[in-house]
Amino acid sequence: SAATDDAVFYQKSEKDLKYYIHTANEYMCDRMVDMLGKNAGGFCSALILGNRTYVSSGMRLDFARIGISHLLALSGLHLSILAQTIDFILRGFLKKKYRNIVLIISCFAFAVFTGLSASVIRASIMLAVFFAADIIGEENDSLTSLSIAAFLIILFDPSSVYDIGFWLSVCATLGIVLMRPAMDELFYKWQKPRKNKLLRAI
């Protein structure tokens, strides 16, 4: 530990792009709290902006008790809803190819604006690969896009291998991708319409 009685700064701190993005995020969070109140505004800012400053400890505990605390952390779910909303709005103005380009830019812009968390970056890359494959007319493969996302994240940020959020996001998505065929088959059997015995007999 160290202590000092006085300190002198010889250079002024430079305000880079990250500073202005963080300031804009804080400003929108404060506006939501002012309009909706501390609880509702803090909840909305956590879902939309990834800012959990105003989420009370009681609310976090309640979400943890019922097993949906992951909703307070931005992930692919939130980004997918945003992408679908933008795609629906632009559907009447742009062709599919140009909509996909806008969606790719929007995904990465959202990741930057919300603080570049591992789960959002992973979802942004996977969605970007999905939209890029649609542009060039190739079939999308979730396992391939997940591998590309994990590779790029580790390539540009090697310290992410020590981030538990990165591993939880990748492993959870991998589990969904691997279990999806079996679950689709199971639910298909449940939802398969029953034949009318009377008509079949006739």
Side-chain angles (χ1 to χ4, degrees), residues 1 8 33 43 45-46 53 65 104 118 122 125 132 142-143 151 157:
S1 61
V8 178
V33 172
F43 177 71
S45 62
T53 304
R65 284 174 175 172
I104 292 174
R122 189 268 311 157
I125 296 175
S142 299
L143 192 59
F151 172 77
D157 185 16

Side-chain angles (χ1 to χ4, degrees), residues 94-112:
L94 297 175
K95 295 182 179 180
K96 189 174 183 179
K97 177 180 179 180
Y98 299 105
R99 291 203 311 269
N100 289 336
I101 296 175
V102 174
L103 289 172
I104 292 174
I105 298 173
S106 300
C107 288
F108 287 111
F110 179 77
V112 172

Side-chain angles (χ1 to χ4, degrees), residues 15-22 112:
K15 298 179 179 180
D16 56 3
L17 181 60
K18 292 182 179 179
Y19 169 82
Y20 291 107
I21 292 175
H22 177 73
V112 172

Side-chain angles (χ1 to χ4, degrees), residues 32-33 35-47 54-55 59:
M32 285 187 178
V33 172
M35 290 187 297
L36 304 175
K38 186 175 181 180
N39 291 331
F43 177 71
C44 290
S45 62
L47 289 180
Y54 294 99
V55 178
M59 182 181 294

Side-chain angles (χ1 to χ4, degrees), residues 15-92:
K15 298 179 179 180
D16 56 3
L17 181 60
K18 292 182 179 179
Y19 169 82
Y20 291 107
I21 292 175
H22 177 73
T23 302
N25 188 292
E26 290 288 338
Y27 175 81
M28 294 183 65
C29 179
D30 292 338
R31 298 289 73 77
M32 285 187 178
V33 172
D34 292 340
M35 290 187 297
L36 304 175
K38 186 175 181 180
N39 291 331
F43 177 71
C44 290
S45 62
L47 289 180
I48 300 173
L49 306 174
N51 192 327
R52 290 179 283 179
T53 304
Y54 294 99
V55 178
S56 63
S57 57
M59 182 181 294
R60 297 188 186 189
L61 181 60
D62 291 338
F63 272 73
R65 284 174 175 172
I66 58 179
I68 58 172
S69 57
H70 60 280
L71 293 178
L72 296 177
L74 291 180
S75 61
L77 171 65
H78 305 80
L79 192 58
S80 298
I81 294 174
L82 175 65
Q84 289 291 336
T85 304
I86 295 176
D87 181 68
F88 178 78
I89 295 174
L90 298 178
R91 194 166 293 178

Side-chain angles (χ1 to χ4, degrees), residues 111 144 161:
T144 301
V161 295

